Amino acid sequence: MIETIYIEKKIKNHPRTKSILKKFKKSRFIEIDKYAEIFNKRNQNFRIQKANPNLILAHKNDGFVLRTPEGFGIGSSKNFYFSHMYNCIYDCRYCFLQGMFSSANYVIFVNFEDFDASIKNVIDQNINYKITFFSGYDCDSLALENVTGFAKHILPIFQQYPEVEIEFRTKSIQREPFMSIEPMENVIMAYSLIPDLMSSSLDNKVPSISKRIQVISDLALRGWKIGLRFDPLIHGKDWKFLYEDLLEKVYNSIPLEAIHSVSVGPLRFPKKMFKDIFNLHPHEPLFTSPLYSNDGIISYDTNIEEEMSVFCKNLTLKYLDNSQIFRCYA
Amino acid sequence: MNKSEFLNKMSVRWVIALKEEAKVILDYYEMALINKKTLYPIFKNIEETHWLILSGIGRHNSAAATSYLYIISNASKWTSWINIGIAGSGKGDYGNIYLVDKIFNQNSYITYPATMPKSNLPKMSLLTTDIPITNYSSKELIDMEGSAFFDIASKLTSKEFICIMKIISDGPENNIKQLTKLRIIELLKLNLTKIAQVVSYYENLSENENQIKEKPEIFFKISSNWHFSVTQLSQLENLLRRLKVFCDNNEIMDLIKQSKSSSSVINSLNNKIKTNKVNWSDI
Ligand code: SF4
């Protein structure tokens, strides 16, 4: 239940605003001038807000499509991302959003049409490159789909450009609109997974791993291409056993021909971000791991990172081709 | 945790304009005038968890009193700040209490306080004016202090720790001229249960934050036994917070008992972290 919805005056009559508001009949609506009046102000506490986040409906003015950070991608020569939303309904302890924003309220940008125009523009400007778009870098791309309808809105664009890939990365068990429409070759349904035992401690409010695997399997059988994102790799006692169990379970539950790609990524935070996250959750077991500061980045020791990546890669090679496996560093 | 431990860990500060508005609160939380010469009357309870200042009327008084109470009472970053009082209204119900979730003043400066979540109390916007207003027409709540209190309090703590509650005392149907001191006390008394409910949320919030943020006890023991530089102290605090998740104090003391210097303490603690493998099945 969202208690309060802040609505930018500029978009209060936008049809998408109206349709979103219809879903929250019991909430209190407050008109505002700019979402920045509420969101990410100084002296806000992400952790406390996260217990009861409010919703902000806003208009995005610029920066609709951006280049992904170096080291983020699944094989294309150019990678871009867009976020129709800031923040997430889940609360993963390693999530970088808690270090990026001081506010846990959800911001939904309702002017989807401006995203459309920017995406088309980027495609036109990169006609000679293989490009991939990532939906929802600053949020979970599908977790709030039943409220936003963003995926449903954006998919037809990619129907027009079959050579351009789009990845929806999620931890949700959202099936729609995907179960109701024809699968598209250039769409990757990507799922971030960590072993069950770790997930139950770290992936707060997130559907269980087994539920996620079930949805992955359903979508794969329906004909959608699947991305598996073992990212971030989490260390701990018996990690080998836990990852082996997860990977075997996944590869034995999904038709392998449906798997588009697998990526493995280490646990990494910029130093300042880590400091903020640690201050929010100083008693979090994850931060009792052997994490080091190196070149402004907090991560596990390189040996640990390497060992974990190689282990997961080797296990994956039993099922998939080397060309389908990527290492992510961002 | 027993009650007295709890009380020592939470912290609430009240900024109230009039003594009639404060009377019921002072009685309920057992606060008495402090034994010290102060610029504004200040009250506190025996445990020193609740402090209350009588600011007088107006924005300037409210702002000054809020800062003053912060200093005098040595309020922490996780202190909850509460402003409660009567307000005029052209919209709400006479005698009812409201949480404020939007504040504007005559310069059109607008702020949006966070309010206690999952509360059954209705919410309204508040106009803070410098002169008394009797044209209530379209206004939800009208007072003379709220915006100034919020501006200052939000510099002292996170916005989630600040609460403004207003009880409607006058409006188009209830002439302000008929508002007596006794009636003000009565209005507060009638809403006391609701006030206490809201305040208990803010007490818990403050207490929880204190538990999360306070330095581990063992930090003081160690830092008094070896000489640490400022940077080392911050390293020590971080390491201890991490270690406390999986080691008890005795284990930590065992690790460092042979240490001859502060760097050797830091190294020993670091080594313990280096070899830690989180046991996810224990969590
Ligand atoms: S699902 Fe992703 S975006 Fe959401 S909290 Fe977890 S890590 Fe963050």
Side-chain angles (χ1 to χ4, degrees), chain A residues 50 87-97 136-140 170-171 192 203-204 206:
Chain A
K50 192 78 192 171
N87 275 325
C88 178
I89 58 171
Y90 306 136
D91 189 14
C92 305
R93 207 36 76 242
Y94 46 80
C95 180
F96 75 99
L97 296 176
Y137 189 78
D138 302 309
C139 59
D140 180 290
T170 188
K171 287 198 181 80
S192 308
D203 292 351
N204 299 310
V206 183

Short mmCIF file of all heavy atoms in Angstrom, two decimals, chain A residues 50 87-97 136-140 170-171 192 203-204 206, ligand 1:
data_model
loop_
_atom_site.label_atom_id
_atom_site.label_comp_id
_atom_site.label_asym_id
_atom_site.label_seq_id
_atom_site.Cartn_x
_atom_site.Cartn_y
_atom_site.Cartn_z
N LYS A 50 12.65 3.22 3.21
CA LYS A 50 12.44 1.93 2.54
C LYS A 50 11.35 1.11 3.23
O LYS A 50 10.72 0.26 2.60
CB LYS A 50 13.77 1.15 2.52
CG LYS A 50 13.79 -0.05 1.63
CD LYS A 50 13.98 0.35 0.19
CE LYS A 50 13.72 -0.81 -0.75
NZ LYS A 50 13.69 -0.41 -2.15
N ASN A 87 14.50 3.58 -8.21
CA ASN A 87 14.25 2.75 -7.02
C ASN A 87 13.42 1.52 -7.32
O ASN A 87 12.93 1.35 -8.43
CB ASN A 87 13.65 3.56 -5.87
CG ASN A 87 14.75 4.22 -5.06
OD1 ASN A 87 15.81 3.64 -4.91
ND2 ASN A 87 14.49 5.41 -4.55
N CYS A 88 13.27 0.71 -6.29
CA CYS A 88 12.81 -0.65 -6.53
C CYS A 88 11.94 -1.11 -5.36
O CYS A 88 12.15 -0.67 -4.23
CB CYS A 88 14.06 -1.52 -6.62
SG CYS A 88 13.72 -3.25 -6.85
N ILE A 89 11.00 -1.97 -5.66
CA ILE A 89 10.13 -2.45 -4.58
C ILE A 89 10.86 -3.49 -3.71
O ILE A 89 10.39 -3.81 -2.64
CB ILE A 89 8.80 -3.03 -5.10
CG1 ILE A 89 9.04 -4.18 -6.08
CG2 ILE A 89 7.97 -1.94 -5.75
CD1 ILE A 89 7.76 -4.93 -6.45
N TYR A 90 11.94 -4.03 -4.22
CA TYR A 90 12.70 -5.00 -3.43
C TYR A 90 13.77 -4.28 -2.60
O TYR A 90 13.95 -3.07 -2.75
CB TYR A 90 13.35 -6.05 -4.35
CG TYR A 90 12.35 -6.71 -5.26
CD1 TYR A 90 12.63 -6.91 -6.61
CD2 TYR A 90 11.09 -7.12 -4.78
CE1 TYR A 90 11.69 -7.52 -7.45
CE2 TYR A 90 10.17 -7.72 -5.62
CZ TYR A 90 10.47 -7.91 -6.96
OH TYR A 90 9.56 -8.49 -7.78
N ASP A 91 14.47 -5.04 -1.78
CA ASP A 91 15.42 -4.40 -0.87
C ASP A 91 16.64 -5.30 -0.68
O ASP A 91 16.88 -5.82 0.40
CB ASP A 91 14.70 -4.16 0.48
CG ASP A 91 15.51 -3.30 1.43
OD1 ASP A 91 16.49 -2.69 0.97
OD2 ASP A 91 15.16 -3.25 2.62
N CYS A 92 17.38 -5.49 -1.78
CA CYS A 92 18.55 -6.36 -1.71
C CYS A 92 19.66 -5.65 -0.95
O CYS A 92 19.91 -4.46 -1.19
CB CYS A 92 19.03 -6.72 -3.11
SG CYS A 92 17.73 -7.44 -4.10
N ARG A 93 20.31 -6.38 -0.09
CA ARG A 93 21.28 -5.75 0.78
C ARG A 93 22.49 -5.23 0.01
O ARG A 93 23.19 -4.33 0.46
CB ARG A 93 21.68 -6.76 1.88
CG ARG A 93 22.15 -6.22 3.17
CD ARG A 93 21.48 -4.93 3.66
NE ARG A 93 20.15 -5.09 4.20
CZ ARG A 93 19.07 -4.52 3.67
NH1 ARG A 93 19.15 -3.76 2.58
NH2 ARG A 93 17.89 -4.69 4.21
N TYR A 94 22.77 -5.78 -1.15
CA TYR A 94 23.93 -5.35 -1.93
C TYR A 94 23.55 -4.32 -2.99
O TYR A 94 24.37 -3.93 -3.82
CB TYR A 94 24.60 -6.56 -2.60
CG TYR A 94 23.60 -7.47 -3.28
CD1 TYR A 94 23.09 -7.16 -4.53
CD2 TYR A 94 23.13 -8.61 -2.64
CE1 TYR A 94 22.14 -7.97 -5.13
CE2 TYR A 94 22.18 -9.43 -3.23
CZ TYR A 94 21.69 -9.08 -4.48
OH TYR A 94 20.74 -9.88 -5.07
N CYS A 95 22.29 -3.89 -3.00
CA CYS A 95 21.81 -3.02 -4.08
C CYS A 95 22.53 -1.68 -4.08
O CYS A 95 22.64 -1.02 -3.04
CB CYS A 95 20.32 -2.79 -3.94
SG CYS A 95 19.66 -1.73 -5.24
N PHE A 96 23.01 -1.26 -5.24
CA PHE A 96 23.74 0.01 -5.30
C PHE A 96 22.80 1.22 -5.18
O PHE A 96 23.25 2.32 -4.87
CB PHE A 96 24.60 0.10 -6.57
CG PHE A 96 23.80 0.38 -7.82
CD1 PHE A 96 23.72 1.66 -8.33
CD2 PHE A 96 23.12 -0.63 -8.47
CE1 PHE A 96 22.98 1.94 -9.47
CE2 PHE A 96 22.37 -0.36 -9.61
CZ PHE A 96 22.30 0.91 -10.11
N LEU A 97 21.51 1.01 -5.40
CA LEU A 97 20.58 2.15 -5.33
C LEU A 97 20.57 2.78 -3.94
O LEU A 97 20.40 3.99 -3.80
CB LEU A 97 19.15 1.71 -5.70
CG LEU A 97 18.94 1.20 -7.13
CD1 LEU A 97 17.51 0.72 -7.31
CD2 LEU A 97 19.27 2.29 -8.13
N GLY A 136 15.84 -0.40 -17.28
CA GLY A 136 15.74 -0.38 -15.83
C GLY A 136 17.06 -0.56 -15.11
O GLY A 136 17.24 -1.49 -14.33
N TYR A 137 17.99 0.34 -15.36
CA TYR A 137 19.28 0.27 -14.68
C TYR A 137 19.14 0.82 -13.25
O TYR A 137 19.79 0.34 -12.32
CB TYR A 137 20.29 1.09 -15.47
CG TYR A 137 21.72 0.96 -15.03
CD1 TYR A 137 22.47 -0.15 -15.40
CD2 TYR A 137 22.32 1.94 -14.26
CE1 TYR A 137 23.79 -0.27 -15.01
CE2 TYR A 137 23.64 1.83 -13.87
CZ TYR A 137 24.37 0.73 -14.25
OH TYR A 137 25.68 0.61 -13.85
N ASP A 138 18.29 1.82 -13.09
CA ASP A 138 18.10 2.44 -11.77
C ASP A 138 16.89 1.90 -11.04
O ASP A 138 16.31 2.56 -10.16
CB ASP A 138 17.93 3.96 -11.93
CG ASP A 138 19.11 4.58 -12.64
OD1 ASP A 138 20.24 4.32 -12.22
OD2 ASP A 138 18.89 5.31 -13.63
N CYS A 139 16.47 0.72 -11.43
CA CYS A 139 15.30 0.09 -10.80
C CYS A 139 15.32 -1.38 -11.20
O CYS A 139 16.27 -1.82 -11.84
CB CYS A 139 14.01 0.74 -11.32
SG CYS A 139 13.77 0.65 -13.10
N ASP A 140 14.31 -2.13 -10.83
CA ASP A 140 14.15 -3.46 -11.41
C ASP A 140 13.21 -3.25 -12.61
O ASP A 140 12.15 -2.64 -12.46
CB ASP A 140 13.51 -4.41 -10.39
CG ASP A 140 13.31 -5.80 -10.94
OD1 ASP A 140 12.44 -5.97 -11.83
OD2 ASP A 140 14.03 -6.72 -10.51
N THR A 170 15.68 -8.47 -14.26
CA THR A 170 14.72 -8.45 -13.15
C THR A 170 14.97 -9.55 -12.12
O THR A 170 15.65 -10.53 -12.40
CB THR A 170 13.28 -8.59 -13.73
OG1 THR A 170 12.34 -8.37 -12.69
CG2 THR A 170 13.03 -9.97 -14.34
N LYS A 171 14.36 -9.33 -10.96
CA LYS A 171 14.29 -10.40 -9.97
C LYS A 171 12.83 -10.73 -9.71
O LYS A 171 12.48 -11.44 -8.79
CB LYS A 171 14.94 -9.97 -8.65
CG LYS A 171 16.44 -9.90 -8.69
CD LYS A 171 17.01 -9.90 -7.27
CE LYS A 171 18.51 -9.80 -7.26
NZ LYS A 171 19.02 -8.44 -7.46
N SER A 192 18.58 -12.09 -12.42
CA SER A 192 19.73 -12.09 -11.50
C SER A 192 19.46 -13.13 -10.43
O SER A 192 18.40 -13.11 -9.80
CB SER A 192 19.88 -10.74 -10.81
OG SER A 192 19.91 -9.72 -11.77
N ASP A 203 18.26 -11.01 -0.37
CA ASP A 203 17.26 -10.48 -1.33
C ASP A 203 15.93 -10.24 -0.61
O ASP A 203 14.96 -10.98 -0.79
CB ASP A 203 17.03 -11.50 -2.47
CG ASP A 203 18.24 -11.66 -3.37
OD1 ASP A 203 19.20 -10.89 -3.22
OD2 ASP A 203 18.21 -12.57 -4.23
N ASN A 204 15.88 -9.18 0.16
CA ASN A 204 14.67 -8.92 0.94
C ASN A 204 13.49 -8.55 0.05
O ASN A 204 13.64 -7.73 -0.86
CB ASN A 204 14.91 -7.79 1.94
CG ASN A 204 16.01 -8.15 2.90
OD1 ASN A 204 16.00 -9.21 3.50
ND2 ASN A 204 17.00 -7.27 3.03
N VAL A 206 12.13 -10.13 -2.17
CA VAL A 206 12.22 -10.63 -3.55
C VAL A 206 11.60 -12.03 -3.62
O VAL A 206 11.75 -12.80 -2.68
CB VAL A 206 13.71 -10.69 -3.97
CG1 VAL A 206 13.85 -11.12 -5.43
CG2 VAL A 206 14.39 -9.35 -3.75
S1 SF4 C 1 16.10 -6.16 -7.43
FE1 SF4 C 1 17.84 -5.02 -8.19
S2 SF4 C 1 17.20 -2.91 -8.11
FE2 SF4 C 1 15.82 -4.05 -6.82
S3 SF4 C 1 16.67 -3.92 -4.76
FE3 SF4 C 1 17.43 -5.79 -5.68
S4 SF4 C 1 19.40 -5.23 -6.60
FE4 SF4 C 1 18.27 -3.33 -6.20
#
